[in-house]
Amino acid sequence: MNKKSTLFIFCFIASFFLKAQITSIEYPSGTLTESKIAQLLDNSRKKGVKKFEIEIQNNMLHKVMQQQKTTPTFKNNQKVASVTPHVNSSGCVNPGFENNSTSGWTFESGFSYDPSSTPNYTALPCPSCINNSASYIAQVVNDTSNSTVNNPAANCDVSNTTPCTNGIDNYGGFSVIPPSGGNYALLLNNTCAGAKMQQAQYTFVVDSSNSIFNFNFAAVLQDGSHPANESPYFDVSTTDLTNNTKPACAQYSVSATSGSLNGWTSSTTSAGTSVGGVSYKSWTAVSLDLYSAIGHTVTVKFTVADCNQTGHFGYCYIDASCNSGGSGYQITASNPLCAGVGATTTLLGSSGFSTYNWAGPVTGSSQNLITST
C-alpha cells in the first residue's frame, strides 16, 4: 500500500470519528471580528457540526463580539468589575413585581466561557462569569403572558419552544405565577441555549416590616448528559452583607446532570420530548426568618444558566414578598375563633417550611390545621 493510500485511509477514519462525537464549539483568544467568526463557522461545518448548532454558534459569537465592546475584561477567570446592586433601604420595594416592572431588583448576565483564555469554557458554577448588567434576559409575566424573552428560529434549534404560552409553562404545565403569590412573577433566561448565565438579586435593609422574606421559585433545566461542572444549573443564595454570613436554610443549588435532579419531574409535553432531557421543579415556597438580622443589609440572588457547551438551556420563575414578623411568624385564621358550637376554623401557618408541628388540644403536621376547639 502506497503512502497516498495510507494517508487517505487515515484521514477517512479520523473524519469518521470526528463526526461520531459531539464537537465542542471553539472560541478564539483575543478580540472577535467578522472575519474570525466566518472562519470559525467554516471550521465547524468542515467538522460536521449540525446546522442548528452552527446557528447557535453564530449567534453566540456575535454576542461575544458585542460583549467585548461593552463589558469588563477577564483576568485569570476573575471579573475586573461588576454592577453595584440596588439596595432597598426602606421597607420592601416591589419584591413580587406587582407594579408590573423590575424596579427594586438588580440584574446581571454573562457567559460561561472566557474568549481570551485557554481553555475557553469555564467550569460551572462560575460567579465570576456574571459581570454584565446591560443585556440580561428577563420578563415580568402574568397569567395571560406569552414569553417574549424567546429565541428567533434562526438562532436556535427549530424544535425548541419559548418558555410559556397564555400564562402556562410549556414544559411543566404549571402557571407562571405561584398559587400563593400575587398577580405577577419574573421569567429569567429563555429556551435558546448558548452558555448564557442570568442573575436577579434583591438587596434590602432588614427592618421590622420585612424581617420575614418569602420567595417562590420554579425552574426548568435541560439535561445534556454533561458532567455537573458543564451542565445547566439553578441556584438560590442568601447572604447577610453586613457580616458576610449565609443564613441557615437559605441556600439551594441543583445542576441538570443525569440522575441528579431528585424531587424534579421529567417533562412529558411535546415540547419536552422534542428536545429531550427536560426536567422541571414547579413552584416551591421558602420563608426566611431574618429577625436576628434587623439593621443588616441582606441580598438574595437567583442564578440560572445554560450548559457551558452551548447546546442545553435553563430558565426559572421568581416571586417574593415581605412580612412583618416581630419575634416570630404570624398565624392567621379562616374564620373567627370561638365562633360557636359546631363551627370549625382553619389555622393558616406561614408557607415555605419543610415540616410543621402543631401542639395543643388538636395536633397536626401539615401547614394548616382545622380545629373546632
Side-chain angles (χ1 to χ4, degrees), residues 348-373:
L348 308 170
S350 298
S351 63
F353 297 96
S354 59
T355 61
Y356 295 83
N357 182 22
W358 295 85
V362 180
T363 61
S365 57
S366 300
Q367 177 183 341
N368 303 325
L369 183 74
I370 299 176
T371 177
S372 59
T373 301

Side-chain angles (χ1 to χ4, degrees), residues 124-196:
L124 298 173
C126 180
S128 64
C129 296
I130 302 173
N131 72 313
N132 181 8
S133 62
S135 60
Y136 63 88
I137 300 173
Q139 176 188 350
V140 177
V141 293
N142 60 22
D143 59 5
T144 62
S145 291
N146 297 308
S147 50
T148 58
V149 290
N150 56 8
N151 32 282
N155 295 326
C156 289
D157 182 351
V158 294
S159 65
N160 218 335
T161 67
T162 58
C164 67
T165 304
N166 297 325
I168 301 297
D169 181 80
N170 289 339
Y171 290 92
F174 54 82
S175 172
V176 300
I177 58 174
S180 59
N183 296 316
Y184 297 93
L186 182 79
L187 168 58
L188 190 63
N189 213 6
N190 58 24
T191 55
C192 183
K196 305 186 308 302

Side-chain angles (χ1 to χ4, degrees), residues 36-171:
K36 281 188 177 181
I37 291 176
Q39 181 181 2
L40 286 169
L41 297 178
D42 187 56
N43 290 341
S44 294
R45 293 186 187 96
K46 292 177 180 178
K47 291 179 180 180
V49 177
K50 294 179 180 179
K51 182 179 179 181
F52 81 86
E53 292 178 312
I54 292 176
E55 291 171 346
I56 293 175
Q57 181 185 11
N58 180 48
N59 183 48
M60 289 304 305
L61 288 170
H62 279 90
K63 286 183 178 179
V64 174
M65 184 172 67
Q66 182 62 30
Q67 185 187 38
Q68 289 176 337
K69 299 176 182 178
T70 59
T71 62
T73 57
F74 287 78
K75 292 182 179 179
N76 300 321
N77 288 327
Q78 298 296 319
K79 62 182 179 180
V80 177
S82 183
V83 64
T84 301
H86 171 82
V87 179
N88 297 288
S89 58
S90 177
C92 203
V93 181
N94 194 37
F97 313 97
E98 289 304 296
N99 61 10
N100 195 19
S101 79
T102 58
S103 63
W105 287 76
T106 301
F107 295 89
E108 290 190 90
S109 65
F111 298 99
S112 53
Y113 56 79
D114 178 356
S116 64
S117 69
T118 302
N120 299 127
Y121 294 105
T122 305
L124 298 173
C126 180
S128 64
C129 296
I130 302 173
N131 72 313
N132 181 8
S133 62
S135 60
Y136 63 88
I137 300 173
Q139 176 188 350
V140 177
V141 293
N142 60 22
D143 59 5
T144 62
S145 291
N146 297 308
S147 50
T148 58
V149 290
N150 56 8
N151 32 282
N155 295 326
C156 289
D157 182 351
V158 294
S159 65
N160 218 335
T161 67
T162 58
C164 67
T165 304
N166 297 325
I168 301 297
D169 181 80
N170 289 339
Y171 290 92

Side-chain angles (χ1 to χ4, degrees), residues 178-180 215-219 252 263-264 281-287 317 319 352:
S180 59
F215 65 83
N216 292 271
F217 69 85
Y252 177 81
W264 289 54
K281 189 173 184 64
S282 190
W283 286 107
T284 301
V286 179
S287 292
Y317 301 91
D319 189 30

